[in-house]
Amino acid sequence: MGVLKVFKSLVIDSLDTITKGSKKYHIWMGFLTLVMLIGMYCYSIQLDEGLSVTGMTDRVSWGLYISNFTFLVGVAAAAVMLVMPTYVLKDIDFKQAVLIGEGLAVAALIMCLAFVVADMGGPSVLWHMIPGIGVFNFPASMLTWDVIVLNGYLFINITIPLYILFRHYQGKEAKKKVYVPGAVLSVFWAVGIHLVTAFLYQGLQARPFWNNALLGPRFLASAFAAGPALIILVLAVIRSFTAFKIPDKTIKKIAMIVTVAAQINLIMLVSELFKEFYAPTHHSESAYYLFFGLHGKDALLPWIWTAIPMNVIATIILTFGKFRNKLKVLYFCCFLLFVAIWIEKGFGLIVPGFIPGPYGKIAEYLPTGIEIGVTLGIWALGAFVFTILAKTAIGIELGELRYKPK
Amino acid sequence: MSDNKKWYTLDLGLNKKKSTSSSCGCGNSQGSCTSQAQQTKEEELSADEFYERAVNAAIGDERKKDGFEQVFDVKMDRRDAFKKLTASLLIGAGAVSSCTSITKDSDSKEKAQIDWEEQFKGNYKLMTDDEKKSTVDRLMRSYELRTGKNINMSSKNAEEDVLFGYAFNISKCQGYMNCVSACVEENNQDRNSQMQYIRIHEMDDGKGFNFNEADDNYYHEVPAEGHFYMGTQCFHCDNPPCVDVCPVQATWKEEDGLVVIDYDWCVGCRYCMAACPYDGRRFNWSKPEVPENEVNKNQHYLGNRMRKKGVMEKCTFCVQRSRKGKNPACVEACPTGARIFGNLLDPKSTIRWVLENKKVFRLKEDLGTEPKFWYFMD
């Protein structure tokens, strides 16, 4: 079969590409491997002794892992903001960016799944969750919805770029009829993954901090700010290290998306703060804990008061086209936004949900070294996967990788 | 237990048609009657046949001189050969922690067999009564092989026309915490992390039910001046939020109203913990340990049997006791009579008397969870 032969050659060629590169590339990959190995070592300790090696307790039962998971679902969903203009609205500026965006989505999803597995108490019985073999509590449990949407999104984001690259690899144009329906589907799917992940928390009447109708929409707004912000930063790196041409126009257009999403996000933040603090109820205690501390317990204050000013400053600067169009300023703002939203949608969202506890007990949470090690390892895994995907994609797009029929 | 299936499962023969009645013809629901014993024997025979066929298919005519005999240079029958094959597969899969002596004696072979079957057994909720009994038998045998001691584990189902409920007299409770220690001893909770299902909240007189300022971790002489006490635990809600969120149905509400967990089916995602508004669930952050001489050997599969690390657990109203008609350990241990337990469907029960004659209330009723745990005052 011809297709299989071409595919085999593609795999061999891409293996060849990702193992060759500049010294900087090798140092980068070596560094990521080292961090991954440290992460694996930390995880082996966790497997051996149980989750007691983390900072989580019966009082705060989700921590750094689930925080990162939540944030990364948003990053994955953000690829859609590039897919839509390119494939659906046919805006050509994004053509180059979209492959990078989808690669980022794949890496983010792999990190999401890794974080969920790292958080599990019994990874050896995870097969209980596989539909058909185990018992899949669908549709009652939002977690099963999340399993479906995340894996479905991963599938879409692997197949579309694979198809396009596969065609380009053979020197042919990708057929619109084949990939556009998938691209349209992925637009809705991306909204789905983040909304479903928000519903995971939003549906718990036990946690008033999460049980809030704005949670889902705010997830989307923050995701569409943080994700494309990361894409801009990645494009900037790719632009300076490879021959891949990304016009300023493309980056400026993505910047526009980031700006609008960040503005909407800020409006929603104001709305949330107003509700919690204008007429505070018993249910506002988590917000009080997050922003001001409760009964002298204030572990999250430095985090949230780093995030909020970063968020506000970045959004204000981005709002003015004069600043936004200066690339250096843009990169700086994107960095600020990315970090701010990572704090806000991670730590700032998950941990206060548990504090105070159901009976008002305030037990604080701090991640342990092992937890941080595993987390860094998973981030390194994501970066590693992305680098491999991006290097192959760029090679094909630049025409360096081409199928040579013998 | 499950009338309408909401989940999608491939029928792998795990969910055999269960018999309509939970107890068999002889009227003994404990599962010790002769007809059931015969059934299990028949099942074992068919398992033998299965082994034979599998071995026949795998090695066929060469079985007299199969690879195992050449390697180990010992005579063995086909069943042993297959078992060893399984055991070596086990070593390969790393599914047993102590795999060093797996082929040494028959005990460890049996242990490996049990571990293998336990690893791949189904969800207890969906098991037939026979399957429940055989998993309980396996676990008892496994404990015997590991420690040389016998435990008694039950798989007794809910009885008809029983719905358990609980009432707590706030006026009577003095905060002695006898209930807490009785619970820990009865339910084999991890001693290292000092896991406790019950929390006693010490509240200030004159401030009402102010949980925020209450202390649920006090260590001083009780009753302390100017305080009153209130206990919380799993309320066995009639509409339990923890059950809906579980992605694998490892937790569910039994017919008699007990919210239980299959510890072996739980994947440890802790979503139920986040969903519980009453702080009723506990997680085994490390391997739970109970000194051998303190283990309560009177166990129930859904209750106080030994747990492993990385799974949820919780109060079961002492299912191992309550289904035998006894009171939970906390009720029995309470020196003040603040705790009342009984069958809500029995009009003559004390709990019904309390519900009908006292001004009872429940916690966080606005959440719609319908706890079966009421508070009242004299």
Side-chain angles (χ1 to χ4, degrees):
Chain A
M1 191 60 202
V3 177
L4 275 181
K5 223 167 93 186
V6 180
F7 189 75
K8 193 181 153 200
S9 146
L10 173 63
V11 171
I12 292 168
D13 277 359
S14 48
L15 275 178
D16 191 51
T17 324
I18 58 175
T19 46
K20 288 195 185 102
S22 62
K23 203 170 186 180
K24 271 183 189 160
Y25 173 75
H26 282 294
I27 291 173
W28 168 243
M29 292 305 259
F31 167 72
L32 290 181
T33 312
L34 178 72
V35 179
M36 276 194 285
L37 285 174
I38 294 171
M40 277 162 76
Y41 174 67
C42 290
Y43 185 62
S44 75
I45 296 174
Q46 183 189 308
L47 269 187
D48 191 43
E49 294 185 24
L51 283 159
S52 56
V53 296
T54 70
M56 293 182 277
T57 58
D58 276 346
R59 311 272 189 177
V60 181
S61 52
W62 280 339
L64 197 57
Y65 298 150
I66 296 295
S67 301
N68 277 290
F69 158 75
T70 312
F71 173 73
L72 285 166
V73 171
V75 172
V80 75
M81 287 321 257
L82 306 172
V83 173
M84 193 163 57
T86 312
Y87 297 139
V88 185
L89 306 177
K90 310 204 170 66
D91 194 329
I92 310 185
D93 282 347
F94 283 61
K95 264 262 152 79
Q96 293 88 358
V98 78
L99 284 173
I100 303 297
E102 281 176 338
L104 208 59
V106 170
L109 284 167
I110 288 173
M111 286 156 80
C112 282
L113 297 175
F115 273 118
V116 170
V117 172
D119 189 65
M120 290 281 168
S124 66
V125 291
L126 263 184
W127 62 271
H128 292 171
M129 230 192 243
I130 301 171
I133 304 171
V135 180
F136 200 56
N137 191 11
F138 186 83
S141 171
M142 289 316 292
L143 204 54
T144 55
W145 284 75
D146 220 30
V147 169
I148 292 174
V149 290
L150 286 183
N151 285 298
Y153 195 62
L154 182 61
F155 177 77
I156 293 175
N157 273 295
I158 287 176
T159 45
I160 294 177
L162 183 68
Y163 170 73
I164 293 171
L165 290 173
F166 192 63
R167 297 287 292 186
H168 288 179
Y169 177 62
Q170 297 170 80
K172 298 178 197 160
E173 268 300 306
K175 282 187 208 142
K176 283 228 166 72
K177 249 196 290 180
V178 178
Y179 69 80
V180 167
V184 175
L185 178 66
S186 81
V187 172
F188 293 100
W189 208 286
V191 176
I193 64 165
H194 216 29
L195 219 46
V196 167
T197 307
F199 288 174
L200 210 73
Y201 308 104
Q202 204 171 321
L204 303 178
Q205 70 266 55
R207 311 282 169 187
F209 187 66
W210 297 336
N211 193 6
N212 160 359
L214 196 56
L215 197 75
R218 212 180 148 214
F219 263 42
L220 288 177
S222 64
F224 293 153
L230 179 63
I231 291 172
I232 289 180
L233 294 175
V234 169
L235 288 180
V237 173
I238 288 175
R239 229 155 67 126
S240 57
F241 281 99
T242 70
F244 199 47
K245 278 199 188 63
I246 298 149
D248 282 1
K249 221 172 113 194
T250 305
I251 289 189
K252 281 174 185 164
K253 222 161 204 162
I254 304 176
M256 193 68 208
I257 292 173
V258 173
T259 309
V260 173
Q263 287 163 342
I264 296 174
N265 183 37
L266 215 55
I267 293 169
M268 290 182 176
L269 174 68
V270 171
S271 169
E272 254 180 6
L273 292 179
F274 174 78
K275 181 242 163 192
E276 303 283 21
F277 297 116
Y278 180 73
T281 67
H282 191 66
H283 289 173
S284 309
E285 284 190 324
S286 295
Y288 263 97
Y289 170 73
L290 175 62
F291 287 98
F292 306 112
L294 268 184
H295 307 299
K297 302 275 177 72
D298 52 7
L300 289 181
L301 285 201
W303 292 94
I304 198 70
W305 288 114
T306 312
I308 297 289
M310 281 169 101
N311 199 343
V312 173
I313 290 170
T315 311
I316 290 173
I317 296 178
L318 284 176
T319 304
F320 297 101
K322 208 166 56 178
F323 300 125
R324 188 174 66 231
N325 287 334
K326 284 199 187 101
L327 287 181
K328 285 255 165 62
V329 179
L330 175 67
Y331 296 155
F332 175 68
C333 287
C334 283
F335 176 74
L336 284 189
L337 256 189
F338 184 76
V339 175
I341 292 174
W342 178 76
I343 295 173
E344 223 189 289
K345 277 286 141 299
F347 254 53
L349 178 83
I350 303 303
V351 178
F354 292 100
I355 304 170
Y359 295 123
K361 183 83 180 180
I362 301 168
E364 298 202 281
Y365 162 80
L366 264 185
T368 58
I370 287 175
E371 217 172 343
I372 294 169
V374 173
T375 303
L376 289 177
I378 294 175
W379 275 92
L381 167 76
F384 192 84
V385 168
F386 175 74
T387 311
I388 289 174
L389 292 177
K391 197 153 195 296
T392 314
I394 290 169
I396 292 174
E397 288 299 296
L398 290 179
E400 288 165 4
L401 275 184
R402 275 290 177 268
Y403 179 56
K404 296 171 212 76
K406 278 156 206 162
Chain B
M1 240 165 293
S2 52
D3 19 35
N4 49 351
K5 277 183 116 186
K6 288 187 290 184
W7 54 93
Y8 304 120
T9 47
L10 195 77
D11 191 9
L12 296 174
L14 294 169
N15 319 322
K16 283 178 219 153
K17 272 246 160 80
K18 67 171 181 184
S19 53
T20 39
S21 68
S22 57
S23 57
C24 74
C26 70
N28 188 347
S29 55
Q30 186 54 43
S32 57
C33 75
T34 42
S35 67
Q36 244 179 12
Q38 274 169 3
Q39 270 177 20
T40 17
K41 212 161 194 188
E42 269 169 30
E43 247 203 336
E44 243 178 69
L45 271 179
S46 67
D48 275 1
E49 279 168 25
F50 168 73
Y51 281 130
E52 272 184 26
R53 275 184 209 155
V55 173
N56 270 332
I59 30 184
D61 293 335
E62 290 174 23
R63 62 176 172 242
K64 277 183 187 165
K65 263 192 173 184
D66 72 66
F68 267 95
E69 284 172 346
Q70 287 165 9
V71 173
F72 291 104
D73 197 25
V74 279
K75 275 188 183 172
M76 60 174 88
D77 62 18
R78 288 160 292 165
R79 190 177 170 186
D80 270 0
F82 190 76
K83 272 193 168 178
K84 286 200 173 175
L85 198 70
T86 318
S88 56
L89 271 174
L90 264 179
I91 299 171
V96 263
S97 46
S98 60
C99 52
T100 41
S101 62
I102 238 166
T103 45
K104 264 188 187 162
D105 49 46
S106 66
D107 271 6
S108 39
K109 253 188 290 175
E110 193 184 349
K111 218 167 96 186
Q113 182 74 22
I114 288 172
D115 285 347
W116 176 260
E117 282 171 26
E118 278 296 300
Q119 171 75 19
F120 293 105
K121 73 178 177 187
N123 186 338
Y124 187 81
K125 180 187 176 184
L126 306 173
M127 284 184 195
T128 63
D129 287 352
D130 287 341
E131 285 165 341
K132 285 178 184 175
K133 198 180 173 306
S134 60
T135 185
V136 161
D137 288 342
R138 269 203 305 273
L139 288 170
M140 283 194 283
R141 178 76 183 131
S142 167
Y143 191 84
E144 193 185 344
L145 287 172
R146 240 183 290 274
T147 63
K149 286 180 186 148
N150 284 307
I151 48 167
N152 178 24
M153 196 188 294
S154 155
S155 59
K156 191 168 157 54
N157 285 327
E159 273 176 64
E160 264 178 52
D161 298 323
V162 172
L163 187 67
F164 289 122
Y166 205 112
F168 187 96
N169 187 340
I170 303 166
S171 312
K172 283 219 168 96
C173 180
Q174 303 288 315
Y176 295 130
M177 287 208 184
N178 291 29
C179 50
V180 177
S181 39
C183 173
V184 170
E185 280 163 29
E186 169 70 28
N187 288 300
N188 294 326
Q189 282 149 45
D190 180 30
R191 303 295 201 268
N192 294 336
S193 64
Q194 301 191 328
M195 184 194 287
Q196 295 165 358
Y197 297 160
I198 303 174
R199 293 199 203 283
I200 304 289
H201 305 260
E202 188 179 66
M203 310 227 184
D204 295 334
D205 278 341
K207 287 194 176 173
F209 300 116
N210 191 345
F211 278 101
N212 278 10
E213 290 175 34
D215 182 7
D216 66 3
N217 206 13
Y218 57 86
Y219 192 78
H220 53 70
E221 196 174 317
V222 289
E225 189 68 30
H227 289 97
F228 69 98
Y229 300 86
M230 196 166 169
T232 59
Q233 62 204 68
C234 171
F235 292 162
H236 296 270
C237 303
D238 207 40
N239 180 22
C242 51
V243 166
D244 282 343
V245 300
C246 179
V248 293
Q249 293 194 7
T251 182
W252 66 91
K253 197 178 70 186
E254 289 268 274
E255 297 272 280
D256 51 6
L258 302 180
V259 177
V260 293
I261 301 171
D262 181 351
Y263 311 120
D264 292 338
W265 194 256
C266 174
V267 294
C269 70
R270 308 191 293 293
Y271 196 11
C272 53
M273 211 169 187
C276 176
Y278 301 110
D279 194 19
R281 290 180 163 256
R282 303 286 178 269
F283 186 71
N284 285 291
W285 298 95
S286 47
K287 191 179 185 311
E289 273 163 16
V290 181
E292 178 56 40
N293 56 348
E294 290 177 28
V295 172
N296 178 3
K297 299 202 167 59
N298 207 356
Q299 303 177 353
H300 191 287
Y301 185 92
L302 296 171
N304 57 346
R305 72 187 171 99
M306 307 306 286
R307 274 80 66 181
K308 48 190 179 184
K309 74 165 185 251
V311 300
M312 297 299 309
E313 61 175 282
K314 63 189 275 297
C315 159
T316 60
F317 281 166
C318 289
V319 57
Q320 67 280 357
R321 296 170 64 96
S322 51
R323 284 199 181 157
K324 283 184 189 158
K326 289 201 273 184
N327 271 330
C330 49
V331 176
E332 205 173 85
C334 180
T336 64
R339 292 170 173 272
I340 290 153
F341 177 81
N343 181 3
L344 293 169
L345 301 181
D346 174 8
K348 286 182 204 133
S349 61
T350 325
I351 180 107
R352 278 286 289 271
W353 185 88
V354 168
L355 295 186
E356 280 155 26
N357 294 286
K358 295 286 178 181
K359 275 98 190 145
V360 294
F361 69 94
R362 298 180 289 186
L363 291 183
K364 301 189 187 180
E365 286 207 67
D366 49 330
L367 298 183
T369 49
E370 302 284 337
K372 291 194 286 292
F373 195 105
W374 288 265
Y375 292 93
F376 67 101
M377 285 161 267
D378 282 337

